[in-house]
Every structure is written in C-alpha cells, then in structure tokens.
Amino acid sequence: MPELPEVEVVRRGLARWVTGARIGPVEVAHPRPVRRHLPGIADFCARLAGTVIQDAVRRGKFLWLPLDSGEALLAHLGMSGQLLLAGDGVADERHLRVRVRLSVPDPGGGPPAISQLRFVDQRMFGGLAVVPLVATPDGLPAGIGGVWEPSAPLLPPPVLHIARDPLDPHLDESALVERLRRRRTGIKRALLDQTLLSGVGNIYADEALWRARLHYARPTEGLSRPAVRRLLAAVREVMGEALAEGGTSFDSLYVNVNGESGYFDRSLAVYGQQGRPCPRCGATVRRDAFMNRSSFTCPRCQPRPRNG
DNA sequence: CGAAGCCCCTGTTCGC
DNA sequence: TGCGAACAGGGGCTTC
C-alpha cells in the first residue's frame, strides 16, 4: 500500500519525467476511479486532452499535476493505486483503469521512451479527477513540489481541509502541538486525523507510537508538550528513513514511479510483527483490534493507560 | 465545531 | 476440495 514516502517518490518521478509533457487522448477503462469527477467520464477526458503538465505537487497522500489550462489532474492512490509511466510497447497491467497518452518533448534518456501515464488500481479506493485550483488559505506553498507557480500558491478544493504533512517545511508544529493537546480522544485517533496532520496511516502511526513509547489509546488530554513533540519527531524520523530507502534502493526515479518500494519487509519494529520480539526490549509484540483496524504494540515499551 | 462509526472495493488467506 | 468469512485501510460521509 502506498504510504506518504512512496507517494513522494512517485511525485518526484512525475515531476522529473512528465513536466512539460502534452496530454493526448485519455482512455477510462473502468468508471470507478473517476467517480469523484462529477461531470462524468467524457468531461474528464475532454478537460485533459491538449493540456500541458506544469508540475507535480503533493500534500499528504494527495498528488496533483497542475495543467496549463489552469486546472489540475488530482490523484489519490488509495489502498492499491499506482501511477506508472510506460512506453507503448509495455503490456497493459491487469488492473489498468485509466490511460493518459503523453507526448514528452524531451524524453531525457528514460528507457523506454515514455508515452503513457497509467493509473493502475486493483481495489479502486483511489481515483483521479480534473479539478480547479484555488488560492491557499494561508498564502503559503500548497505542499511539496510546486516549483511552478503562476502568481499565488494554488490548491485543489478537495485538498482544502487536508492539513500539512510531516515532511512539509511550512507545517506549523507549535500550532499542531496545541491543537492536538486540545483534542479529547486517543493519541492514535488524533495522529490519523487528516485535518490535524496528513499523510500518517496505520503503519506509520504504529511505528511512530512505538518509537515514542506511547500506547495508541493514550488520551491526548494530559499529554505534555514535550511528549507530543517527541511523537512528531518520531513520525518525521520513520518517514524520513522510509523516504531515504525508497530513494536509494533503485538507480533512477523512473523506476520508482513504476511502483517499487524498498521499505516494507524491513525496518518495521511492530507493524505486522505480532508474536515476534520487540527489537528494543524483547517482549512479545501484540496485535489489537482498534478503530476497525489492527494496532501493534510492545506491551512493555507501550503500556496501556489505566483508563484506555 | 469535534468525535466516532459506517462504508466503499477486491484479491488473498484462513477456517470449517 | 469448496465456500464463505475475515482481512487489508484512507478518507468521504453521516450522525450526534
């Protein structure tokens, strides 16, 4: 499943390889991934055809390509989505949902010559839409990327309520710490609340809580400022490590755009590790049902709060 | 406004 | 061997 560091690697690959590309005909093989484009499939295709991609920008797990039409192609990969660059000779993937034909003026040596952007998604939680771009409420850059800006920083409306993510240099950490401490809920719920902080999914929440030695049910009420800051530092740390691995595991970003990740299977201390020893203290990692999901903790490093 | 729960989706794995 | 249930989970949406 694509997590924030992988989405960032995809963003970098797209920025590198398709900035300046002109979009040609668009084929929608399955209507579901375009369901959030309310005017329909024909309108989706018509708005894309003939435009030129200006940039690739990301906030949390939302990714968009600003177009010279003033609109943007907005993407969310959901659980199983991939954005792949391909040449015409590459066989269609089994779950190919949308094909965007491209003409890339300067292929720049990416083998083979890129002529398609493909949205491949088995489970179709993710999707694409063509959306307008509106000014960011705070006047600051919309997210990561955004080298190209017409005059003011711009954001797709569906991303307006999404908070900045841990990799965003404009994240106001002090304000976040205070907002989080005013919440009356468990710390993992708060960590997963995209209106507070975006891009943290179940895996990174569990890994960061383990590093900060906090149980997922620990009430936000009563968490000290330093404790919250330690947790945010842990989130940033684990994501930074994953990004470093994703960025160095392969020779070129072109490969990473094609959906590879170097992070999982390694480096995970607790997520998916039930029954195995905690890497820090050796106690047996446990798995609990929480929020209709799984939560993994070390019972010794992360003791359950009395009233949790 | 905040908190919490439901639901969407399909391939894989597991239990009977 | 076959079949249905459980599971994976981000985020939109609804309700209180």
Side-chain angles (χ1 to χ4, degrees), chain A residues 90-210:
Chain A
V90 180
D92 287 358
E93 292 76 10
R94 177 163 168 204
H95 301 292
L96 175 65
R97 308 303 188 188
V98 179
R99 186 199 323 272
V100 177
R101 294 191 182 276
L102 300 174
S103 88
V104 183
D106 176 18
I114 294 162
S115 58
Q116 298 179 20
L117 171 64
R118 297 177 178 177
F119 182 72
V120 176
D121 191 2
Q122 175 205 111
R123 289 164 62 188
M124 296 186 289
F125 271 44
L128 303 178
V130 181
V131 295
L133 289 170
V134 300
T136 57
D138 56 12
L140 296 171
I144 307 293
V147 174
W148 171 85
E149 290 287 358
S151 55
L154 300 174
L155 197 62
V159 187
L160 278 169
H161 70 289
I162 303 294
R164 292 181 183 278
D165 63 65
L167 302 181
D168 188 331
H170 296 289
L171 173 69
D172 184 341
E173 184 158 321
S174 296
L176 171 58
V177 168
E178 297 314 312
R179 278 192 75 194
L180 196 145
R181 293 177 72 241
R182 280 197 298 271
R183 285 297 177 94
R184 291 296 173 260
T185 187
I187 185 61
K188 186 173 175 182
R189 279 198 146 87
L191 213 47
L192 294 175
D193 184 339
Q194 63 182 327
T195 67
L196 280 174
L197 178 71
S198 69
V200 180
N202 202 37
I203 295 171
Y204 286 95
D206 279 5
E207 291 296 310
L209 287 165
W210 176 80

Side-chain angles (χ1 to χ4, degrees), chain A residues 203-204 206-207 210-211 238 241-242 245 263-273 276-277 279 285:
Chain A
I203 295 171
Y204 286 95
D206 279 5
E207 291 296 310
W210 176 80
R211 290 191 185 210
V238 70
E241 288 173 18
E245 287 195 44
Y263 187 63
F264 298 119
D265 311 335
R266 303 199 276 272
S267 310
L268 295 175
V270 287
Y271 184 85
Q273 308 297 310
R276 306 176 71 165
V285 171

